[in-house]
Amino acid sequence: MIKVLVVDDDFMVARIHRGFVDRVDGFEVVGTANSGDQAVAALGDLAPDLVLLDLYLPDVFGIDLIARLRAVQPDVDILVITAAREADAVRGAVRQGVVNYLLKPFGFEDLRARLQEYARRRASVPDQVTSQADVDRVLAAPTRQLVNRLPKGLSQETADLVTAALRATPDNLSAAECAEKIGISRVSARRYLEFLTTQGQAEVTLRYGTTGRPERRYNWR
């Protein structure tokens, strides 16, 4: 079983998230916390594998808490669940190596898909690494699969940010919305989104208005 610690400042929301996690096979909630200090203490007592971390806590911003959590348990994984849509929050989460970033409000299926993806990646680590292929499979997170395939003029760092923004969007988003989230131009955002589409990482739908060309909307596959 994958042991989970739920961290949220609202105890009712924490209870709902706990119920969601307990419905997913292979996962077990071992505790909840409603502040950064409680989360640090619970981590030391319960030794969870995964922390579901809200960013808006009463005593600390969640991104700043991650370093404290890893000081207690260096190998703990973090899945951010938050209403924080600021580009700096997404960038900070990516830099801290979170396994996913899920925007509130979300439904059970949204969280289950991300937990199952995490479980698959966790299970893909072999007992013994014998080749580069073994390493590549372990690092086969969507943001890493793009290395060595990016067209000229696109950077891996920006591709990571675009991917994180897309994965954090429950429904879909346009190039303009993506650009606003991470602080790049709309044209650049569209180049990255179209590239993700060609790689099978994203898919595009058309939203038709009353006049003009249809808007291209992107969502993570």
Side-chain angles (χ1 to χ4, degrees):
M1 296 288 286
I2 295 174
K3 297 185 294 183
V4 179
L5 173 66
V6 176
V7 182
D8 198 288
D9 68 318
D10 187 321
F11 76 94
M12 286 299 296
V13 173
R15 176 187 287 184
I16 292 170
H17 293 168
R18 178 174 193 147
F20 282 175
V21 175
D22 284 337
R23 290 169 59 188
V24 182
D25 290 341
F27 289 84
E28 175 190 16
V29 175
V30 294
T32 60
N34 305 121
S35 69
D37 287 344
Q38 288 181 17
V40 172
L43 194 73
D45 293 338
L46 303 173
D49 304 299
L50 177 68
V51 175
L52 300 192
L53 179 62
D54 182 25
L55 296 188
Y56 293 134
L57 299 173
D59 54 347
V60 65
F61 188 55
I63 297 298
D64 301 324
L65 178 63
I66 293 176
R68 291 174 57 192
L69 295 175
R70 288 189 171 139
V72 176
Q73 187 177 328
D75 61 347
V76 69
D77 289 319
I78 311 291
L79 194 163
V80 171
I81 48 174
T82 182
R85 299 171 183 267
E86 298 85 358
D88 286 346
V90 178
R91 291 192 191 101
V94 171
R95 293 190 187 103
Q96 291 285 355
V98 302
V99 299
N100 219 310
Y101 192 109
L102 181 58
L103 284 177
K104 296 178 180 178
F106 57 83
F108 168 65
E109 293 298 335
D110 297 316
L111 181 59
R112 179 170 69 173
R114 286 156 178 81
L115 290 177
Q116 289 175 337
E117 177 189 346
Y118 167 73
R120 285 193 295 269
R121 290 177 55 195
R122 180 183 169 91
S124 71
V125 181
D127 293 332
Q128 183 176 4
V129 175
T130 60
S131 67
Q132 182 63 47
D134 291 335
V135 177
D136 291 342
R137 280 192 293 272
V138 174
L139 298 179
T143 56
R144 297 301 172 202
Q145 291 174 352
L146 305 180
V147 176
N148 301 325
R149 298 214 303 267
L150 287 169
K152 185 176 180 179
L154 302 188
S155 73
Q156 184 61 44
E157 292 76 12
T158 305
D160 287 347
L161 290 174
V162 171
T163 300
L166 193 61
R167 288 165 63 88
T169 304
D171 189 9
N172 54 48
L173 80 172
S174 67
E177 292 165 347
C178 180
E180 183 179 357
K181 279 178 177 288
I182 64 175
I184 61 176
S185 72
R186 181 187 62 80
V187 173
S188 294
R190 179 162 180 170
R191 288 189 64 196
Y192 284 95
L193 290 167
E194 289 292 335
F195 173 70
L196 289 171
T197 301
T198 64
Q199 297 299 305
Q201 304 291 339
E203 59 185 4
V204 62
T205 56
L206 300 180
R207 176 182 291 177
Y208 291 89
T210 55
T211 60
R213 298 173 61 185
E215 181 184 44
R216 295 176 70 81
R217 309 283 303 181
Y218 303 86
N219 64 276
W220 188 253
R221 296 191 64 181

